[in-house]
Amino acid sequence: MSDRTVVQPLAVLIVALAVILAGTFALSALVGSAPTGSPDGATIEGQSPAQYQPEVAGLDADPEDGELSVEDTEDDSRIVIDLRRTGDTTRTDLKPVTEALFEAGHSVTVLDGTDDEEFGDALAGSSGLLIVQPTSAYPDGERDAIQDYVDAGGHAVIAGEPTQTRVGGGLFASVSQVSFGATELAGSYGVQVGAETLYNVNDTDNDNNFKSIYATPTRGGILTEGVETVTFDRSGYVVTSGDDVAVHYTAVEGTKTIDTRRAGTYPVVVRNDSVVFTADGSFLSQPELYDADNEVFTGNLLSFLASGDSGNFGG
Amino acid sequence: MVYEFVVQGWRMADSRWPISETRAAYVVIVTLLVVLAAVVAPIAWNLGSTAADDNPTVQVITLRGGTNDANVNAVATALREARNNASTAAVVLRVDSPGGPVAPSEELYLAVNRTAAEMPVVAYVEGSAASGGYYGIVPTDEIIVKPSSTVGSIGVIVQAPLSAVEQAEQVSGSYVRSGPDKAQIDQDRLREDLERLQRAFVGTVMTHRGNDLELTREEVANGRAYLGTQAVENGFADRIGDIGSAIEAAADRSERIDGDQYDVEYTTRSVQVTLSIQAAAVEEVDGNTIYYTEAGTADSEFVRPVRYYAVWGVPVETTAAAGEGGSSDE
């Protein structure tokens, strides 16, 4: 028997076997495979979901336009700005405010604890007093002076702030509470600052953050003229007593207190004759000054201050 | 004719080899072929059908740790493999994650969403699936929790260096910049961007769970975290169960699985467990914004201005730094 006798049939065997096995494998794969769903690379619904589209996730930020203007008076007025007990507002932060007063022909005396003249002397002859976010109490003498001042016809605006937590930095992280300090001063005009910060999570009822609430006017007058909506960045609310206090702005419907989650109608700007009290002071400086109608409201407040007349106070 | 051909062939063959030998060889070969094919063909058949579709499989994919780039990448790859594996009929996503940066959290959502479009996906919340973790499981067909599981915490945090926000103008004065917004961080812009991410996140939750949720969009946006039992009540989760329940639920939901005729396979990868907001010292927390001092950036001229997180938790360094301070005094 020659080699060919064995080799040829053996080759036939191997080829035939290979063909049979490959055929079986292919047939089984065809019969067994019926993958459901579409393969990767096919178009899959929902990979550019509706909730991701700009028209849904996008938002309209309040335009930062408008002009801060103060009414000029016949006799140029002088405004006293008291920053001596203020937490973090500086003379520089209030530059837009002082510029607007300057443009209207009024002058400004800023008390910030450096080379200040005596409080009563500073008030004498001025038309208005602006107190920004005091964190400590006014002594008896100064409270009396403010009382005499408004009795004589001077106007005062007290910008408060709610009690809030600040986390201090550095290696030794510390948590501290900042709160409104001039409680007795405000109390003597029938006003108290509320215990909690306000918030509103409704997207259309806040200025892009739940703590930046909207407030709207509740009556006409010098304080609300030309204003549709103001936004307060860290607002508390005002508690009033007596009939002398009139509410000029309330937080919009749906606004709640942050700790107890109580919804209600919260006054944020009130006026007791010659004294105006606001539950926030952040609107006086950037980046809040030109949000919503804040610049109009600030202009109104400054005009109100300029329109005072302390007459013979200190004289 | 045929006869002549055969006879001629016979003769030709006869002239060279003995007829009986050649024929015998072919007989042996054919016999061998039949025997071998009978033995080997079933094996080939099995191999072929296993590769294609043997017992359908429920694939259990696990995410333990933050929804950071590395972890989400691993899970997304596992999900892709599951989609491409013809034998995988359903997926169970086993999750214990408090969330992480927003970008990979969205990535996870899209990967799970894509998988859920092709086959049943059931989520089992092992520990927590909060914030970014919940973002990932929200498109699943069913969410199964334990009483101690934590879900929810829908919301976004933005983190920015305090110095960069407060002193942006002064600092930028030392560079020549091509435009007024270049290299600037503005608090208003931060808030707007935060709000955009928040809307996408809350919108995603409402899209997928809106029909199940007893809560309003506002209540969801409050960002509260819920334990398992409460989550079943308010619709953040569907029912109480364990991993076994989740596997059964996934199998039940698959049209390709008949009764208990399925296999379970586990994809386990070592994942990065730590989750931290990388701030050395928290300077100030204001609403959802955390201002911090960047650590170890003395050598670097520039730092990443903002980071967006979807996390359930507080910055670890607040407590860690305080702890370190305390121990160094001892």
Coordinates of all heavy atoms in Angstrom, one line a residue, chain A residues 46-53 56-57 203, chain B residues 102-103 105-114 131-140 143 154-156 195-213 217 220-221 235-236 310:
Chain A
G46 N -34.4 58.2 23.5 CA -34.2 58.8 24.8 C -32.8 59.1 25.3 O -32.5 59.4 26.4
Q47 N -31.8 59.1 24.3 CA -30.5 59.4 24.7 C -30.2 60.9 24.6 O -29.1 61.4 24.9 CB -29.4 58.6 23.9 CG -29.4 57.1 24.3 CD -29.3 56.9 25.8 OE1 -30.3 56.7 26.5 NE2 -28.1 56.9 26.3
S48 N -31.2 61.6 24.1 CA -31.1 63.1 24.2 C -32.5 63.5 24.8 O -33.3 64.0 24.2 CB -30.9 63.7 22.8 OG -30.9 65.1 22.9
P49 N -32.6 63.2 26.1 CA -33.9 63.2 26.8 C -34.5 64.6 26.7 O -33.8 65.6 26.7 CB -33.7 62.8 28.2 CG -32.3 62.4 28.3 CD -31.6 62.8 27.1
A50 N -35.9 64.6 26.7 CA -36.6 65.9 26.7 C -36.2 66.8 27.8 O -36.1 68.0 27.6 CB -38.1 65.6 26.7
Q51 N -36.0 66.2 29.0 CA -35.7 67.1 30.2 C -34.3 67.7 30.1 O -34.0 68.6 30.9 CB -35.9 66.3 31.5 CG -34.8 65.3 31.8 CD -35.1 63.9 31.2 OE1 -36.0 63.8 30.4 NE2 -34.4 62.9 31.6
Y52 N -33.5 67.3 29.1 CA -32.2 67.9 29.0 C -32.1 69.0 27.9 O -31.1 69.6 27.7 CB -31.1 66.8 28.5 CG -30.6 65.9 29.7 CD1 -31.2 65.9 30.9 CD2 -29.5 65.1 29.5 CE1 -30.7 65.2 31.9 CE2 -29.0 64.3 30.5 CZ -29.6 64.3 31.7 OH -29.1 63.6 32.8
Q53 N -33.2 69.2 27.2 CA -33.2 70.2 26.2 C -33.2 71.6 26.7 O -33.8 71.8 27.8 CB -34.4 70.0 25.3 CG -34.5 68.6 24.7 CD -33.2 68.1 24.0 OE1 -32.6 68.8 23.2 NE2 -32.8 66.9 24.3
V56 N -36.2 73.3 28.1 CA -36.7 72.8 29.4 C -35.8 73.1 30.6 O -36.2 73.6 31.6 CB -37.0 71.3 29.3 CG1 -37.5 70.7 30.6 CG2 -38.0 71.0 28.2
A57 N -34.5 72.8 30.4 CA -33.6 73.0 31.5 C -33.1 74.4 31.5 O -32.5 74.9 32.6 CB -32.4 72.1 31.3
D203 N -39.4 77.2 40.9 CA -38.5 77.8 39.9 C -38.9 79.2 39.5 O -38.0 80.0 39.2 CB -38.4 76.8 38.7 CG -37.6 75.6 39.1 OD1 -36.9 75.6 40.1 OD2 -37.7 74.6 38.3
Chain B
V102 N -21.6 65.9 39.0 CA -22.8 65.8 38.2 C -22.5 65.2 36.9 O -23.3 64.3 36.4 CB -23.3 67.2 38.0 CG1 -24.5 67.2 37.0 CG2 -23.8 67.8 39.3
A103 N -21.3 65.5 36.3 CA -21.0 65.0 34.9 C -21.1 63.4 34.8 O -21.8 62.9 34.0 CB -19.7 65.5 34.4
S105 N -22.5 61.5 36.9 CA -23.8 61.0 37.3 C -24.7 61.0 36.1 O -25.5 60.1 36.0 CB -24.3 61.9 38.4 OG -23.5 61.9 39.5
E106 N -24.6 62.1 35.3 CA -25.5 62.1 34.1 C -25.1 61.0 33.1 O -25.9 60.4 32.5 CB -25.3 63.5 33.4 CG -26.0 64.6 34.1 CD -25.8 66.0 33.4 OE1 -25.0 66.1 32.5 OE2 -26.5 66.9 33.8
E107 N -23.8 60.8 33.1 CA -23.2 59.7 32.2 C -23.9 58.3 32.7 O -24.3 57.5 31.8 CB -21.7 59.6 32.5 CG -21.0 58.9 31.4 CD -20.7 59.7 30.2 OE1 -20.6 60.9 30.3 OE2 -20.7 59.1 29.1
L108 N -23.9 58.1 33.9 CA -24.5 56.9 34.5 C -26.0 56.8 34.1 O -26.5 55.7 33.7 CB -24.3 56.8 36.0 CG -24.9 55.6 36.7 CD1 -24.2 54.3 36.3 CD2 -24.8 55.8 38.2
Y109 N -26.7 57.9 34.3 CA -28.1 57.9 33.9 C -28.3 57.5 32.5 O -29.1 56.7 32.1 CB -28.7 59.3 34.1 CG -30.0 59.6 33.4 CD1 -31.1 58.9 33.7 CD2 -30.0 60.5 32.3 CE1 -32.3 59.1 33.0 CE2 -31.2 60.7 31.6 CZ -32.3 60.0 32.0 OH -33.5 60.2 31.2
L110 N -27.5 58.1 31.6 CA -27.7 57.8 30.1 C -27.3 56.4 29.8 O -28.0 55.7 29.0 CB -26.8 58.8 29.3 CG -27.3 60.2 29.3 CD1 -26.2 61.1 28.7 CD2 -28.6 60.4 28.5
A111 N -26.3 55.8 30.5 CA -25.9 54.4 30.2 C -27.0 53.5 30.7 O -27.4 52.5 30.0 CB -24.6 54.1 30.9
V112 N -27.6 53.8 31.8 CA -28.7 52.9 32.4 C -29.9 53.1 31.5 O -30.6 52.1 31.2 CB -29.0 53.2 33.9 CG1 -30.2 52.5 34.3 CG2 -27.7 52.9 34.7
N113 N -30.2 54.3 31.1 CA -31.4 54.7 30.3 C -31.3 53.9 29.0 O -32.3 53.3 28.6 CB -31.4 56.2 30.0 CG -32.7 56.6 29.4 OD1 -33.8 56.2 29.8 ND2 -32.6 57.5 28.4
R114 N -30.1 53.8 28.4 CA -30.0 53.1 27.1 C -30.2 51.6 27.3 O -30.8 51.0 26.5 CB -28.6 53.4 26.6 CG -28.3 52.7 25.3 CD -27.0 53.3 24.7 NE -27.2 53.1 23.2 CZ -26.4 53.7 22.4 NH1 -25.4 54.5 22.7 NH2 -26.5 53.4 21.1
S131 N -28.9 61.1 45.6 CA -28.4 62.2 44.7 C -27.9 61.6 43.4 O -28.7 61.0 42.7 CB -27.3 63.0 45.4 OG -27.3 64.3 44.9
G132 N -26.6 61.7 43.1 CA -26.1 61.2 41.8 C -26.4 59.7 41.7 O -26.5 59.1 40.6
G133 N -26.4 59.0 42.8 CA -26.7 57.5 42.8 C -28.1 57.3 42.4 O -28.4 56.3 41.6
Y134 N -29.0 58.1 42.8 CA -30.4 57.9 42.4 C -30.6 58.3 41.0 O -31.4 57.8 40.3 CB -31.3 58.8 43.3 CG -32.8 58.4 43.2 CD1 -33.3 57.3 43.8 CD2 -33.6 59.2 42.4 CE1 -34.6 56.9 43.6 CE2 -35.0 58.8 42.2 CZ -35.5 57.7 42.8 OH -36.8 57.3 42.6
Y135 N -29.8 59.4 40.6 CA -29.8 59.8 39.2 C -29.6 58.6 38.2 O -30.3 58.4 37.2 CB -28.7 60.8 38.9 CG -28.9 61.9 37.9 CD1 -28.2 63.1 38.1 CD2 -29.7 61.7 36.8 CE1 -28.4 64.1 37.1 CE2 -29.9 62.7 35.9 CZ -29.3 63.9 36.1 OH -29.4 64.9 35.1
G136 N -28.7 57.7 38.7 CA -28.3 56.5 37.9 C -29.4 55.5 37.8 O -29.6 54.8 36.8
I137 N -30.2 55.3 38.9 CA -31.2 54.2 38.9 C -32.6 54.7 38.5 O -33.5 53.9 38.3 CB -31.2 53.5 40.3 CG1 -31.8 54.4 41.4 CG2 -29.9 52.9 40.6 CD1 -32.1 53.7 42.6
V138 N -32.7 56.0 38.3 CA -34.1 56.5 38.1 C -34.7 56.0 36.8 O -35.9 55.8 36.8 CB -34.1 58.0 38.2 CG1 -33.6 58.7 37.0 CG2 -35.5 58.5 38.4
P139 N -34.0 55.6 35.7 CA -34.6 55.1 34.5 C -34.9 53.6 34.6 O -35.4 53.1 33.6 CB -33.7 55.4 33.4 CG -32.4 55.5 34.0 CD -32.5 55.9 35.5
T140 N -34.6 52.9 35.7 CA -34.8 51.5 35.7 C -36.3 51.2 35.8 O -37.1 52.0 36.2 CB -34.1 50.8 36.9 OG1 -34.6 51.5 38.1 CG2 -32.6 51.1 36.9
I143 N -37.5 49.8 41.3 CA -36.5 50.1 42.3 C -36.8 49.3 43.6 O -37.9 49.5 44.1 CB -36.4 51.6 42.6 CG1 -35.9 52.3 41.3 CG2 -35.4 51.9 43.7 CD1 -35.9 53.8 41.4
I154 N -32.4 64.7 45.9 CA -32.3 65.2 44.6 C -31.8 66.7 44.6 O -32.5 67.5 45.2 CB -33.6 65.2 43.9 CG1 -34.2 63.8 44.0 CG2 -33.5 65.6 42.4 CD1 -33.4 62.7 43.5
G155 N -30.7 67.0 44.0 CA -30.2 68.3 44.1 C -28.7 68.4 43.7 O -28.0 67.4 43.6
V156 N -28.3 69.6 43.5 CA -26.9 69.9 43.0 C -26.2 70.9 43.9 O -26.9 71.8 44.4 CB -27.0 70.4 41.6 CG1 -25.6 70.6 41.0 CG2 -27.8 69.5 40.7
E195 N -28.8 76.2 38.7 CA -30.2 76.0 38.5 C -30.5 75.2 37.2 O -31.4 74.3 37.2 CB -30.9 77.4 38.4 CG -32.4 77.4 38.3 CD -33.0 76.9 39.6 OE1 -32.4 77.1 40.7 OE2 -34.1 76.3 39.6
R196 N -29.7 75.4 36.2 CA -29.9 74.6 35.0 C -29.6 73.1 35.2 O -30.4 72.3 34.8 CB -28.9 75.1 33.9 CG -29.3 76.4 33.3 CD -28.4 76.8 32.1 NE -28.9 78.0 31.5 CZ -28.4 79.2 31.8 NH1 -27.4 79.3 32.7 NH2 -28.9 80.3 31.3
L197 N -28.6 72.8 36.0 CA -28.3 71.4 36.3 C -29.4 70.8 37.2 O -29.8 69.7 37.0 CB -26.9 71.3 37.0 CG -25.7 71.7 36.1 CD1 -24.5 71.6 37.0 CD2 -25.6 70.8 34.9
Q198 N -29.9 71.6 38.1 CA -30.9 71.2 39.0 C -32.2 70.9 38.2 O -32.8 69.9 38.5 CB -31.2 72.3 40.0 CG -32.5 72.2 40.8 CD -32.3 71.2 42.0 OE1 -31.4 70.5 42.1 NE2 -33.3 71.3 42.9
R199 N -32.5 71.7 37.3 CA -33.7 71.5 36.5 C -33.6 70.2 35.7 O -34.6 69.5 35.5 CB -34.0 72.7 35.5 CG -34.5 73.9 36.3 CD -35.0 75.0 35.3 NE -35.3 76.2 36.1 CZ -35.9 77.2 35.6 NH1 -36.2 77.3 34.3 NH2 -36.1 78.3 36.4
A200 N -32.4 70.0 35.1 CA -32.3 68.8 34.3 C -32.4 67.5 35.2 O -33.0 66.5 34.9 CB -30.9 68.8 33.7
F201 N -31.9 67.6 36.4 CA -31.9 66.5 37.4 C -33.3 66.3 37.9 O -33.9 65.2 37.8 CB -31.0 66.9 38.6 CG -30.7 65.7 39.5 CD1 -29.9 65.9 40.6 CD2 -31.3 64.5 39.4 CE1 -29.6 64.9 41.5 CE2 -31.0 63.5 40.3 CZ -30.2 63.7 41.3
V202 N -34.0 67.3 38.3 CA -35.4 67.2 38.8 C -36.3 66.8 37.7 O -37.1 65.9 37.9 CB -35.9 68.5 39.5 CG1 -37.3 68.4 39.9 CG2 -35.0 68.9 40.7
G203 N -36.0 67.3 36.5 CA -36.8 67.0 35.3 C -36.7 65.5 35.0 O -37.7 64.8 34.6
T204 N -35.5 65.0 35.2 CA -35.2 63.6 34.9 C -36.0 62.7 35.9 O -36.6 61.7 35.5 CB -33.7 63.3 35.0 OG1 -33.0 64.1 34.1 CG2 -33.4 61.8 34.7
V205 N -36.0 63.1 37.2 CA -36.7 62.3 38.2 C -38.2 62.3 37.9 O -38.9 61.3 37.9 CB -36.4 62.8 39.6 CG1 -37.3 62.1 40.6 CG2 -34.9 62.6 39.9
M206 N -38.7 63.5 37.5 CA -40.1 63.6 37.3 C -40.5 62.8 36.0 O -41.6 62.2 36.0 CB -40.5 65.1 37.2 CG -40.3 65.9 38.4 SD -40.9 65.2 39.9 CE -42.7 65.3 39.7
T207 N -39.6 62.8 35.0 CA -39.9 62.1 33.8 C -40.1 60.6 34.0 O -41.0 60.0 33.6 CB -38.8 62.3 32.7 OG1 -38.7 63.7 32.5 CG2 -39.1 61.6 31.5
H208 N -39.2 60.1 34.8 CA -39.2 58.6 35.0 C -40.0 58.2 36.1 O -40.5 57.0 36.1 CB -37.7 58.1 35.2 CG -36.9 58.2 33.9 ND1 -36.9 57.3 32.9 CD2 -36.0 59.2 33.5 CE1 -36.1 57.7 32.0 NE2 -35.5 58.8 32.3
R209 N -40.2 59.0 37.2 CA -40.9 58.5 38.4 C -42.1 59.4 38.6 O -42.8 59.1 39.6 CB -40.0 58.6 39.6 CG -38.7 57.8 39.5 CD -38.9 56.3 39.6 NE -39.6 55.9 40.8 CZ -39.9 54.6 41.0 NH1 -39.4 53.7 40.2 NH2 -40.6 54.2 42.1
G210 N -42.4 60.3 37.7 CA -43.5 61.2 38.0 C -44.8 60.5 38.3 O -45.6 61.0 39.2
N211 N -45.1 59.4 37.6 CA -46.4 58.7 37.8 C -46.4 58.0 39.1 O -47.5 57.7 39.7 CB -46.6 57.7 36.6 CG -46.9 58.5 35.3 OD1 -47.3 59.6 35.4 ND2 -46.6 57.8 34.2
D212 N -45.2 57.6 39.6 CA -45.2 56.8 40.9 C -45.1 57.7 42.1 O -45.5 57.4 43.2 CB -43.9 55.9 40.9 CG -43.9 55.0 39.6 OD1 -44.8 54.3 39.4 OD2 -42.8 55.1 38.9
L213 N -44.6 58.9 41.9 CA -44.3 59.8 43.0 C -45.6 60.4 43.6 O -46.4 60.9 42.9 CB -43.3 60.9 42.6 CG -41.9 60.5 42.5 CD1 -41.1 61.6 41.8 CD2 -41.3 60.2 43.8
R217 N -43.2 68.3 42.3 CA -41.9 68.6 41.8 C -41.2 69.4 42.8 O -39.9 69.2 43.0 CB -42.1 69.4 40.5 CG -40.8 69.7 39.8 CD -41.0 70.6 38.6 NE -39.7 71.0 38.1 CZ -39.1 70.5 37.1 NH1 -39.7 69.5 36.4 NH2 -37.9 70.9 36.7
V220 N -39.8 67.2 45.6 CA -38.6 66.5 45.1 C -37.4 67.4 45.1 O -36.3 67.1 45.5 CB -38.9 65.9 43.7 CG1 -37.6 65.4 43.0 CG2 -40.0 64.9 43.7
A221 N -37.6 68.7 44.6 CA -36.5 69.6 44.5 C -36.0 70.1 45.9 O -34.9 70.6 45.9 CB -37.0 70.9 43.7
G235 N -43.0 56.9 46.6 CA -42.8 56.6 45.2 C -41.4 56.7 44.7 O -41.1 56.5 43.5
F236 N -40.5 57.0 45.6 CA -39.1 57.1 45.2 C -38.6 55.6 44.9 O -37.7 55.4 44.1 CB -38.2 57.7 46.3 CG -37.9 59.2 46.0 CD1 -38.6 60.1 46.7 CD2 -36.9 59.5 45.1 CE1 -38.4 61.5 46.4 CE2 -36.7 60.9 44.9 CZ -37.4 61.8 45.5
A310 N -23.5 66.2 42.6 CA -24.8 65.7 43.0 C -24.5 64.7 44.1 O -24.3 63.5 43.8 CB -25.5 65.0 41.8

